[in-house]
Amino acid sequence: MVNVDPKLTWKILEDAIREIYNQNISDLSFEELYRNAYNMILQRFGDKLYSGLVTTLAKHIREVSELIEAAQGDLFLEVLKRKWEDHNKALEMIQGILMYMDRTFIPSTHRAPVYQLGLNLWRDNIIHSSQIQTRLLKTLLDLVQRERTGEVIARGGMKNAIMMYVDLGSSVYQDYFEKPFLEVSADFYSVESQQFIESCECGNYLERADRRLDEEMERASKYLATMTKAKIINVVEKEMVANPLQRLVDKGLVKMVVDDKYEDLRRMYSLFGQVSEGLPMIRDVMGCHVRETGKQLVSDPERLKDPMDFVQCLSDKKDKYDKIISLAFNNDKTFQNALNSSFEYFMNLNARTPEFISLFVDCKLRKGLDGISEEDLEIFYDKVLMLFRYVQEKDVFEKYYKQHLAKRLLSGKSISEDAERSLIVKLKTECGYQFTSKLEGMFTDLNTSKDTTQGFYASQTAAKAGESPMLSVQVLTTGFWPTQPRTSCILPAEILELCGRFQAYYLGAHTGRRLTWQMNMGTADLKVTFGNGKKHELNVSSYEMCILMLFNDADRLSYKEIEEATKLPTSDLKRCLQSLACVKGKIVLRKEPMSKDIGVGDTFFFNDKFTCKSYKVKIGTVVT
């Protein structure tokens, strides 16, 4: 071991450190310098080496501090950046020279390692300098302010200064930059929020808030510490979203919903989702809006005059809100549940809603969907079922649906049996077998009736074509079909005879059964030749058939004579006569005196001059 002179050895090292800081290191032998430092530690001169290092570094850094303080304007950050980079490079070299001291002497004395010592001295002499500290913070915050107001700033010096804080330690960064940065940011966004919320639409405000969040995230990624990103985002969310939350909802939510502002609503959902009470507030306000508008709809006297319009409005309203939830609220299940609850509330305020939904289906399926694709039909069914689910009195719907289905099937006005069965299958899936068992029984009766009619005619002696009327009978099982009032009428002789033969055939094939004729539910096709030789086929009700066939044997009949010959109930008789004699374009009978109403003193004549462009003419029964 070579004895060393500590004063001389330190002088060599001290000069080397100064040279390193002056960046004039070409003549230095790092191996020799390392050996000198090594020998000082071995000969127990570590304290002198360390204290000398502290003195030398501190002196140099104080000189640097004066240079930084003297820098003016934009040069301030530039000088700071350059001196900080020089300091770090110098520390790396010095650390290499004093590596042995770092590994052996410093751990045993609990002192700061060489590199950390250099950082601490920079902190104490540069960052703690009253002039530099205040000026640096003001410069950085001013740059942020300018950038927030639209100016383009030089981010390089900004980033270097902020990363310098980070390198000096998280507490230094937080105390000397992050904390005041967040405080200033909160003040800035608080003022901006108040200004914007007063001066612009809610949608524009949300767009501005969204853009501010993007800007802060981008700013954080470019020159702030990673730890600050979440904090500054929280500041913006608090000042621009959380604090004015109620005002934003009151100012714009309902209007955006009414106007279908999907993008604005999507932005509101996204922004409010970052605040704990945000989404529940949107959900509650929207739910109240749906309830109130729905309540107005179901209680509007004008709407109630048209069941089709009533249900269509319900369907359109549901489509509207479903679309909002899909496009703007990310199909949020809690929003969908709130919507369902609101619809169930207001739809059941009107006791006629089940009836109107059934009428809506009846209108669409009564040849109303001709040419519609199977896919579109499924969409229609799904919309109907969605409304049906909200109805609490499902047995009321079943009653009306049963009546309407019966009329469609018996009058042959349904678009198709497959279409009818498809909806019933969906109702069965929704409500169970018991709900649809009677409806399915109707189809069974119709199919059985076809076989029965074919069997009846197969059992009869063939008649010459045109000499005997054709009878098509629907044998309906009591309990499956809606109960109809028992009515009586006197059938034309040829019809009565044919009905008798069918009854004998049916009861002979089915012992113990009983048939009750419901003539008020039947229809007839009559081939009629008018006075001008023009022939038409009239589709009429069974009651109207009974009236018209009287004129095969008479040209003129009074009301009393028709009443006596048919035994029709007074209300039914008057409606049938009004349909035959008072409907413009379909006047098969003329009456005297001419009027829109039927009186017991009226007289009726067969209209020989009846004309119509169509061969087949449907004579409906007027509703009084």
Side-chain angles (χ1 to χ4, degrees):
M1 181 177 65
V2 179
N3 290 327
V4 299
D5 183 342
K7 292 183 178 180
L8 178 60
T9 303
W10 166 243
K11 184 67 171 61
I12 294 172
L13 291 171
E14 184 181 29
D15 290 342
I17 292 172
R18 288 173 178 167
E19 290 295 313
I20 289 172
Y21 269 114
N22 292 329
Q23 297 186 4
N24 182 21
I25 58 176
S26 57
D27 295 333
L28 295 176
S29 170
F30 282 91
E31 183 178 348
E32 182 180 349
L33 294 172
Y34 175 82
R35 191 183 309 115
N36 287 338
Y38 175 81
N39 287 330
M40 287 189 73
I41 297 299
L42 287 180
Q43 297 187 30
R44 303 183 184 279
F45 295 119
D47 284 333
K48 181 175 182 60
L49 180 61
Y50 193 87
S51 61
L53 176 65
V54 171
T55 302
T56 302
L57 292 181
K59 180 180 178 182
H60 175 76
I61 293 173
R62 283 194 292 271
E63 293 172 357
V64 170
S65 175
E66 293 175 359
L67 292 175
I68 296 173
E69 291 174 6
Q72 299 299 313
D74 293 340
L75 288 177
F76 174 69
L77 287 184
E78 181 60 34
V79 172
L80 177 65
K81 174 185 176 182
R82 188 171 65 251
K83 293 301 180 181
W84 169 245
E85 290 174 349
D86 291 345
H87 180 64
N88 276 281
K89 290 177 182 178
L91 282 180
E92 289 176 1
M93 294 181 184
I94 295 169
Q95 184 183 35
I97 294 171
L98 303 179
M99 186 184 304
Y100 187 71
M101 183 178 72
D102 253 354
R103 287 203 308 246
T104 59
F105 176 76
I106 289 176
S108 64
T109 60
H110 305 291
R111 300 179 186 182
V114 172
Y115 196 89
Q116 186 60 51
L117 172 64
L119 297 180
N120 293 344
L121 290 172
W122 185 273
R123 176 196 64 200
D124 296 341
N125 292 276
I126 303 294
I127 302 303
H128 288 176
S129 167
S130 59
Q131 293 188 30
I132 294 178
Q133 175 184 325
T134 304
R135 185 178 175 189
L136 178 57
L137 179 61
K138 183 179 185 303
T139 299
L140 296 178
L141 295 181
D142 284 347
L143 286 171
V144 174
Q145 174 73 11
R146 286 164 55 190
E147 189 174 50
R148 282 173 176 161
T149 55
E151 290 188 44
V152 177
I153 65 170
R155 287 178 166 181
M158 182 95 174
K159 180 177 181 180
N160 186 78
I162 292 175
M163 290 303 105
M164 177 190 68
Y165 281 129
V166 175
D167 292 342
L168 293 174
S170 60
S171 62
V172 174
Y173 171 76
Q174 291 171 347
D175 292 342
Y176 290 96
F177 176 75
E178 185 185 71
K179 184 177 179 181
F181 166 74
L182 295 176
E183 290 173 352
V184 168
S185 298
D187 292 339
F188 174 83
Y189 285 115
S190 175
V191 172
E192 182 170 274
S193 172
Q194 294 176 29
Q195 291 174 344
F196 280 6
I197 206 168
E198 295 294 342
S199 62
C200 64
E201 295 287 335
C202 181
N204 294 334
Y205 178 93
L206 294 172
E207 184 178 3
R208 182 63 176 253
D210 201 25
R211 187 165 67 249
R212 283 303 196 186
L213 283 168
D214 289 341
E215 290 173 358
E216 291 300 336
M217 284 190 283
E218 196 264 347
R219 183 173 294 115
S221 67
K222 293 299 182 181
Y223 57 73
L224 297 180
T226 303
M227 70 180 76
T228 307
K229 183 176 182 179
K231 297 176 183 177
I232 185 59
I233 294 303
N234 287 338
V235 167
V236 180
E237 288 174 345
K238 178 183 177 183
E239 299 301 334
M240 297 201 74
V241 181
N243 289 347
L245 195 67
Q246 187 66 59
R247 290 185 65 189
L248 288 172
V249 170
D250 295 341
K251 183 181 179 70
L253 176 59
V254 171
K255 188 176 187 302
M256 290 190 293
V257 168
V258 171
D259 295 340
D260 296 328
K261 297 291 186 179
Y262 303 118
E263 185 63 24
D264 291 340
L265 289 169
R266 182 205 59 77
R267 187 173 286 112
M268 175 177 278
Y269 178 84
S270 176
L271 290 173
F272 282 32
Q274 309 305 313
V275 181
S276 59
E277 65 272 25
L279 295 186
M281 184 177 294
I282 299 177
R283 190 167 59 242
D284 292 345
V285 172
M286 182 175 172
C288 289
H289 168 70
V290 174
R291 286 189 174 215
E292 289 305 310
T293 57
K295 185 177 179 180
Q296 293 172 14
L297 188 155
V298 300
S299 60
D300 185 352
E302 293 301 316
R303 293 285 189 194
L304 298 179
K305 292 178 181 178
D306 186 349
M308 302 304 102
D309 181 59
F310 177 88
V311 179
Q312 188 62 56
C313 284
L314 290 177
S315 180
D316 292 344
K317 185 179 285 290
K318 185 62 170 57
D319 286 345
K320 173 187 176 70
Y321 296 127
D322 280 343
K323 191 172 182 180
I324 288 175
I325 291 175
S326 173
L327 297 181
F329 298 154
N330 197 32
N331 280 321
D332 192 316
K333 294 298 182 184
T334 62
F335 278 73
Q336 190 63 61
N337 292 339
L339 179 63
N340 293 339
S341 176
S342 298
F343 264 74
E344 183 175 357
Y345 163 75
F346 72 74
M347 281 181 59
N348 289 285
L349 294 177
N350 191 321
R352 299 194 68 186
T353 298
E355 176 191 358
F356 285 179
I357 294 176
S358 180
L359 280 169
F360 184 73
V361 174
D362 183 60
C363 178
K364 296 296 185 180
L365 295 186
R366 188 182 289 273
K367 295 189 181 299
L369 296 176
D370 284 345
I372 192 172
S373 67
E374 184 175 337
E375 181 180 354
D376 289 338
L377 190 59
E378 287 296 314
I379 293 174
F380 166 71
Y381 286 158
D382 288 342
K383 289 183 178 181
V384 168
L385 282 171
M386 180 58 70
L387 297 179
F388 169 73
R389 291 188 185 106
Y390 299 133
V391 173
Q392 294 172 351
E393 300 295 336
K394 289 182 170 54
D395 55 335
V396 177
F397 171 85
E398 181 192 12
K399 181 186 75 171
Y400 285 108
Y401 185 80
K402 188 176 179 182
Q403 293 174 356
H404 296 144
L405 175 62
K407 290 180 180 179
R408 290 197 300 275
L409 296 179
L410 295 177
S411 64
K413 299 303 180 183
S414 176
I415 57 173
S416 73
E417 183 176 323
D418 288 342
E420 296 284 5
R421 285 185 178 276
S422 179
L423 180 54
I424 289 175
V425 168
K426 291 181 179 292
L427 288 171
K428 184 176 182 179
T429 302
E430 189 72 26
C431 300
Y433 170 77
Q434 289 297 117
F435 189 84
T436 60
S437 60
K438 293 180 180 179
L439 303 178
E440 292 174 313
M442 292 183 182
F443 290 95
T444 302
D445 280 354
L446 293 183
N447 291 330
T448 302
S449 296
K450 292 178 183 178
D451 296 336
T452 300
T453 301
Q454 292 175 359
F456 167 67
Y457 278 107
S459 69
Q460 303 299 301
T461 302
K464 293 182 179 180
E467 290 188 356
S468 176
M470 296 294 292
L471 182 67
S472 177
V473 180
Q474 307 288 2
V475 182
L476 312 181
T477 303
T478 302
F480 288 169
W481 300 78
T483 302
Q484 297 291 331
R486 293 287 299 275
T487 58
S488 61
C489 71
I490 298 177
L491 294 173
E494 52 268 64
I495 302 298
L496 184 61
E497 187 274 335
L498 187 56
C499 289
R501 281 194 282 134
F502 178 86
Q503 185 163 340
Y505 164 78
Y506 184 84
L507 295 179
H510 301 282
T511 305
R513 294 191 183 182
R514 184 179 63 180
L515 286 181
T516 301
W517 294 91
Q518 297 281 156
M519 293 302 174
N520 59 311
M521 299 174 64
T523 61
D525 292 325
L526 298 178
K527 293 182 179 180
V528 183
T529 302
F530 292 91
N532 53 11
K534 193 73 176 288
K535 295 182 178 181
H536 288 282
E537 185 176 298
L538 306 182
N539 177 255
V540 296
S541 70
S542 296
Y543 285 172
E544 291 167 344
M545 173 198 70
C546 293
I547 295 172
L548 288 176
M549 290 186 69
L550 295 176
F551 288 89
N552 281 333
D553 302 317
D555 294 327
R556 172 192 178 100
L557 291 170
S558 67
Y559 175 89
K560 289 294 186 180
E561 288 172 328
I562 295 174
E563 183 179 41
E564 182 63 28
T566 61
K567 298 297 184 182
L568 287 172
T570 300
S571 60
D572 291 322
L573 176 59
K574 287 187 175 182
R575 287 195 303 116
C576 289
L577 288 172
Q578 194 172 23
S579 302
L580 294 168
C582 301
V583 177
K584 185 178 180 181
K586 297 183 179 181
I587 299 178
V588 180
L589 299 179
R590 293 182 294 110
K591 84 179 195 70
E592 292 180 354
M594 290 298 298
S595 66
K596 293 183 179 180
D597 298 321
I598 303 298
V600 294
D602 291 346
T603 301
F604 297 87
F605 306 86
F606 185 68
N607 183 12
D608 285 333
K609 296 181 180 181
F610 175 83
T611 60
C612 185
K613 293 180 180 180
S614 302
Y615 172 72
K616 291 186 177 182
V617 181
K618 176 176 175 56
I619 308 295
T621 302
V622 298
V623 179
T624 57

